[in-house]
Amino acid sequence: MCERRAVENHLEVNRANWDDRAAAHAASPGYAVDRFVADPAYLSEVVRFDLPRLGDVAGLRGVHLQCHIGTDTISLHRLGARMTGLDFSPASLTQARRLAEHTGAAVDFVRSDVYDAPAALGWGAFDLVYTGVGALCWLPDIRRWAQVVAALLRPGGRLFLREGHPMLWALDDARDDGLLTVEHPYFERPEPTEWDEPGTYVETDATFTHNRTYEWNHGLGEVVTALLDVGFRLTMLVEHDSAPWDALPGRTTADEHGEHRLRDRPWRLPQTYTLQAVRTA
């Protein structure tokens, strides 16, 4: 019964968590809002990491699902795409719109749950769907997500996804003995994993009130199969040994771009992956 209630109210619980953290994220050095304002050519490190894979997006009509405070959205705009950002957190969108105003970026930001995105934005309206790191874990059903992406794209449009690797999400990140141990689900489960953690993933002195979240993992095969089943053709799948945040505190080292790798034999663990797929029908 508790697990069922958790699934039913996960949106409001998770939204409260993101609303609570939006202003702190915008003020943190990790999101580099000041650099966006000061330098019209600045791109987020997440987008910059994937520039060799992203290709030319100039002139494309794109939507960034689960855009949070909009730094990746505005980066894609700076690369020439006509961007819309979508998120379910009103506080996050307040920060995103403020950043767009301060940078002069002509980006629309729309409040909606991901699963309602086609109704909010239009069916077949986009050339590009972009989803960044740490998005899919908030969604209980990866098959439904793939249907949404297909509904948003015109035939021939493409999905660009960089996401935390499901192997990383399955690890116990609290161990202090250096061992990599599998503690959490790798595959999608009906019930979520419940977390109650007071902090956040960026540097901040802020304290938060809403600390509970519900999350789901989705195996790599589940993500790929969900896309294939709704008419996508996979064009890229690259696994990376790094993540743009410190996913395993005390066990990683960061490079000059903020990508964290295991200090000890980083080739043991995929931390993120980049996937591209084209809607064929």
Side-chain angles (χ1 to χ4, degrees):
M1 184 62 68
C2 290
E3 288 175 350
R4 182 168 179 78
R5 285 200 302 269
V7 172
E8 289 175 347
N9 73 351
H10 78 273
L11 271 178
E12 60 189 80
V13 171
N14 288 344
R15 184 184 296 116
N17 181 276
W18 283 103
D19 282 346
D20 205 13
R21 287 156 174 76
H25 287 181
S28 73
Y31 276 96
V33 166
D34 290 345
R35 293 191 67 181
F36 274 95
V37 175
D39 181 359
Y42 182 76
L43 303 176
S44 70
E45 294 291 1
V46 172
V47 170
R48 190 179 301 276
F49 177 90
D50 266 318
L51 278 178
R53 289 163 285 276
L54 181 62
D56 185 10
V57 299
L60 298 184
R61 186 176 182 197
V63 58
H64 179 188
L65 299 180
Q66 298 166 272
C67 67
H68 191 34
I69 66 170
T71 51
D72 293 345
T73 326
I74 288 174
S75 296
L76 293 167
H77 162 76
R78 288 180 168 183
L79 293 172
R82 295 176 291 133
M83 292 302 300
T84 298
L86 180 138
D87 202 272
F88 75 155
S89 161
S92 295
L93 292 178
T94 294
Q95 298 298 329
R97 292 179 181 123
R98 183 174 297 157
L99 179 60
E101 179 182 358
H102 289 167
T103 58
V107 175
D108 295 322
F109 289 100
V110 176
R111 180 185 173 187
S112 174
D113 175 43
V114 171
Y115 292 142
D116 298 327
L121 301 175
W123 279 260
F126 295 95
D127 306 302
L128 173 70
V129 170
Y130 178 90
T131 298
V133 178
L136 298 187
C137 61
W138 304 100
L139 305 178
D141 187 342
I142 199 64
R143 290 162 295 279
R144 190 176 172 193
W145 167 83
Q147 292 166 359
V148 166
V149 174
L152 290 169
L153 285 170
R154 62 166 179 78
R158 67 174 162 130
L159 165 70
F160 190 97
L161 168 70
R162 187 184 179 206
E163 183 51 281
H165 200 287
M167 192 66 248
L168 176 65
W169 298 133
L171 295 181
D172 182 353
D173 63 354
R175 295 187 71 106
D176 58 6
D177 57 9
L179 295 178
L180 300 177
T181 60
V182 177
E183 175 63 23
H184 308 294
Y186 176 89
F187 298 107
E188 182 181 303
R189 303 283 297 164
E191 67 279 2
T193 300
E194 181 177 347
W195 301 91
D196 193 344
E197 298 181 332
T200 187
Y201 53 84
V202 297
E203 180 184 340
T204 180
D205 294 327
T207 57
F208 305 109
T209 302
H210 300 282
N211 298 318
R212 188 160 47 105
T213 58
Y214 297 117
E215 301 176 32
W216 290 261
N217 204 0
H218 311 286
L220 196 57
E222 292 174 327
V223 175
V224 170
T225 300
L227 292 167
L228 295 177
D229 285 348
V230 293
F232 278 89
R233 175 172 55 88
L234 191 69
T235 59
M236 177 182 292
L237 180 58
V238 181
E239 297 171 290
H240 311 291
D241 66 358
S242 67
W245 83 102
D246 189 1
L248 298 167
R251 286 177 274 180
T252 69
T253 183
D255 65 19
E256 67 274 19
H257 304 295
E259 289 285 322
H260 293 256
R261 293 173 176 81
L262 286 176
R263 185 176 292 109
D264 177 23
R265 295 167 291 160
W267 53 87
R268 292 182 293 159
L269 178 67
Q271 294 200 49
T272 56
Y273 65 95
T274 299
L275 179 153
Q276 290 200 70
V278 174
R279 184 191 164 197
T280 59

